[in-house]
Amino acid sequence: MFFSFLEELRAAGIPASIKEHLVLLEALERDVIERRPEEFYYLARAVFVKDEGLLDRFDQVFAKVFKGIESTFGTDATELPEDWLRKVAELYLTPEQMEEIKSLGSWEEIMETLKKRLEEQQGRHQGGSKWIGTGGTSPFGNSGYNPEGVRIGGESVHKRAIKVWDKREFRNLDSTKELGTRNIKVALRRLRRFAREGAADELDLDATIDGTARRGWLDIQMRPERHNAVKLLLFLDVGGSMDPHIKLCEELFSAATAEFKNLEFFYFHNCLYEGVWKDNRRRFAERTPTWDILHKYGHDYKLIFVGDAAMSPYEITHPGGSVEHYNEEAGHVWMHRITNTYPAAVWLNPTQEEHWSYSQSTRILRELMNDRMYPLTLDGLDDAMRTLSRKS
C-alpha cells in the first residue's frame, strides 16, 4: 500500500522520493504518532508536501489510496475532535419528513451514541439504520439519509451532515486554481530587489554596536529603510468579457499595491491604443496619452498586462478596429512600441490556458508578447515573475 501511495503521489505531480518514503517508515517504526488515520495523514503530509500549492492534490491522493480507512476507527481507542462536540446541528426537514425519520435527539446524544458505536462496530456496514456505513438512515456514515448526522468519508448527497470527517481543507491552494490575495503576494515576492532609499530614519543596530565598541560611548547609527526597488507598470483590461474576472483582478491589484512601492497602474479595454486611464468613471474625459507613459517611465520598469485577450482580431490588426473609438493606428503598433520600450513584459490571462487556442485574438497577442503570456494561476504567476526577473 505504501509503495502504491508513493506512485500515486508522483503521478499527481507531487515530488516524492524514496528518501522521503524511508523517512515516513522510520517515523512509523519509532511511534512518533499515535496509530490513528488522522495522525498518519498529518505525518505523511508533513513528509511529502513541501509546497502549499500541492496540499489539495495530496488530499485527493490520500483519499484515493486509503479509501475506506475510516472503517478502522473502532479497532483502537477513538478520540473525536473537540470542535465536533461544540458545533450545533441545523435541521432542514419539513414536518412530514420529520415524521418519516426520527432524529436521535440532541447534539450531545448523537455524539455519545457515535462514540459507543465506534467502540462496538467491528467491520464495514452497508445500509441499515444503526451502524456506521454507507446508505441507510443511520446518522453516521455517508450516502444515506437522516435529518442530522455525522458524515464519515464518502461524498455528500443530501448536504445534511452536521460534521464532515473526510473534508479537503486546502482546495483553494491547488496550484492549478485561481489565486487569492495572499497567494498572489507570495508569488509576486519573486520579483524583489531591495535597496535602501529615503531619509535615514531606521536604527542600524550592527553599526551602532560597532561604533559604540570602537569609540567607547553610545554611537547611534541610522540608515534608510529597505524597500523593494523593482518598478512596475500594471495595465488592467476592464469591461466586457473581463467582468467575470473583476474579483480576481481586484485581488491582484491589492497584492501588487502592497508589494511594490514603485507601482503605476492604468486601465485599457481589450487592446492598448493611444490612450489609457486611471479612473473608469472618467475613462473618456481624463485619459493619459500612451506616448506620455513611454516617455515618462524609464526602461527599467517591469510591465504586466492583465486581460483575457478576447476580442475581434480587427481590434489588434487594423486602424479603426476599436469598439469604443476610432484608433488611427492599429493596436499591434502600440503593442510593439510598448514591449520595445519595456523588454521585461508579460501578459497574465485569467481564462483557462486550454481555451487560448480557440481565440484568434489571444494567439495574436501571445505572439506580440513573444510568447510571454501566462495563465493567472499560482504556477502561471510564478513563471511570469521568473521571466520578469530574468529580463533586464
Side-chain angles (χ1 to χ4, degrees):
M1 177 178 281
F2 286 133
F3 278 114
S4 172
F5 185 34
L6 193 67
E7 292 171 0
E8 291 289 347
L9 288 171
R10 289 172 173 173
I14 299 174
S17 67
I18 291 294
K19 180 180 178 181
E20 290 162 330
H21 175 70
L22 294 176
V23 168
L24 178 63
L25 294 181
E26 184 180 358
L28 293 173
E29 184 179 354
R30 296 192 180 189
D31 293 324
V32 299
I33 60 169
E34 295 184 37
R35 295 187 177 245
R36 295 202 304 270
E38 187 177 14
E39 298 286 339
F40 174 69
Y41 161 79
Y42 285 113
L43 173 63
R45 197 181 80 185
V47 170
F48 288 112
V49 180
K50 306 299 190 298
D51 180 351
E52 65 180 9
L54 301 175
L55 285 170
D56 183 61
R57 239 177 282 180
F58 176 84
D59 279 4
Q60 296 179 64
V61 171
F62 190 91
K64 176 182 178 181
V65 174
F66 299 103
K67 184 177 182 181
I69 197 170
E70 295 86 0
S71 64
T72 67
F73 283 175
T75 59
D76 291 309
T78 304
E79 293 181 11
L80 296 174
E82 253 183 64
D83 66 302
W84 281 35
L85 303 176
R86 292 195 302 264
K87 190 170 177 64
V88 179
E90 292 185 1
L91 303 180
Y92 299 97
L93 289 185
T94 64
E96 292 77 14
Q97 291 171 323
M98 287 292 288
E99 288 299 319
E100 291 177 15
I101 302 174
K102 298 295 185 181
S103 166
L104 281 179
S106 68
W107 167 259
E108 290 75 15
E109 290 172 321
I110 289 179
M111 297 312 300
E112 186 61 33
T113 304
L114 174 59
K115 285 183 180 180
K116 290 179 181 178
R117 291 187 190 171
L118 284 171
E119 293 170 359
E120 296 169 5
Q121 185 168 337
Q122 301 299 316
R124 185 180 183 278
H125 185 73
Q126 171 72 33
S129 61
K130 178 180 179 181
W131 295 116
I132 302 163
T134 58
T137 58
S138 169
F140 313 115
N142 71 73
S143 305
Y145 187 76
N146 195 282
E148 55 185 11
V150 178
R151 177 158 69 83
I152 302 179
E155 296 295 327
S156 176
V157 176
H158 301 290
K159 310 295 183 184
R160 298 186 182 277
I162 297 174
K163 180 66 180 179
V164 178
W165 181 275
D166 185 27
K167 182 180 180 182
R168 288 164 53 193
E169 299 286 354
F170 303 100
R171 189 169 303 184
N172 64 325
L173 294 182
D174 191 326
S175 59
T176 63
K177 304 296 182 184
E178 293 180 347
L179 304 107
T181 303
R182 176 185 173 276
N183 291 333
I184 293 173
K185 286 182 179 180
V186 172
L188 290 178
R189 284 170 190 164
R190 288 194 178 277
L191 196 61
R192 279 181 165 182
R193 187 178 69 249
F194 285 108
R196 297 196 176 276
E197 302 172 342
D201 55 3
E202 180 186 87
L203 176 66
D204 188 338
L205 184 59
D206 291 339
T208 298
I209 294 173
D210 183 68
T212 299
R214 290 177 182 276
R215 292 174 174 79
W217 65 80
L218 183 60
D219 183 20
I220 302 294
Q221 298 289 325
M222 305 298 289
R223 63 185 178 185
E225 186 180 355
R226 290 174 78 228
H227 291 288
N228 187 356
V230 170
K231 301 174 182 178
L232 184 65
L233 281 172
L234 182 63
F235 285 78
L236 299 158
D237 184 5
V238 292
S241 58
M242 282 297 293
D243 285 345
H245 308 295
I246 287 176
K247 183 177 182 293
L248 182 58
C249 290
E250 286 176 344
E251 291 173 344
L252 176 63
F253 181 72
S254 175
T257 52
E259 218 35 61
F260 299 99
K261 180 183 178 182
N262 300 308
L263 169 68
E264 294 291 340
F265 73 93
F266 298 93
Y267 296 110
F268 70 101
H269 181 60
N270 285 353
C271 187
L272 183 68
Y273 299 113
E274 69 279 0
V276 291
W277 57 93
K278 279 183 170 287
D279 187 342
N280 284 308
R281 293 169 298 182
R282 303 185 61 82
R283 59 188 298 181
F284 298 107
E286 297 179 2
R287 290 201 172 212
T288 301
T290 308
W291 273 121
D292 289 358
I293 294 172
L294 297 176
H295 292 140
K296 181 177 180 179
Y297 302 106
H299 299 272
D300 56 338
Y301 270 81
K302 312 287 187 181
L303 174 63
I304 298 179
F305 282 99
V306 182
D308 61 1
M311 68 198 83
S312 165
Y314 296 107
E315 295 184 58
I316 307 171
T317 59
H318 287 70
S322 171
V323 294
E324 292 193 322
H325 72 292
Y326 182 82
N327 52 300
E328 295 184 355
E329 293 181 292
H332 73 86
V333 174
W334 288 104
M335 290 299 298
H336 278 303
R337 284 172 180 159
I338 201 163
T339 53
N340 287 337
T341 302
Y342 306 106
V346 296
W347 187 295
L348 298 176
N349 194 326
T351 59
Q352 297 181 16
E353 189 171 4
E354 55 264 30
H355 297 162
W356 295 357
S357 60
Y358 300 109
S359 168
Q360 186 177 352
S361 60
T362 302
R363 296 198 300 270
I364 294 172
L365 281 173
R366 190 175 184 180
E367 183 178 345
L368 290 171
M369 292 297 300
N370 296 317
D371 208 34
R372 298 197 299 270
M373 181 178 286
Y374 301 92
L376 196 44
T377 62
L378 278 172
D379 285 342
L381 189 52
D382 191 59
D383 290 340
M385 294 307 104
R386 291 178 188 274
T387 297
L388 290 178
S389 298
R390 289 194 297 267
K391 289 287 182 179
S392 58

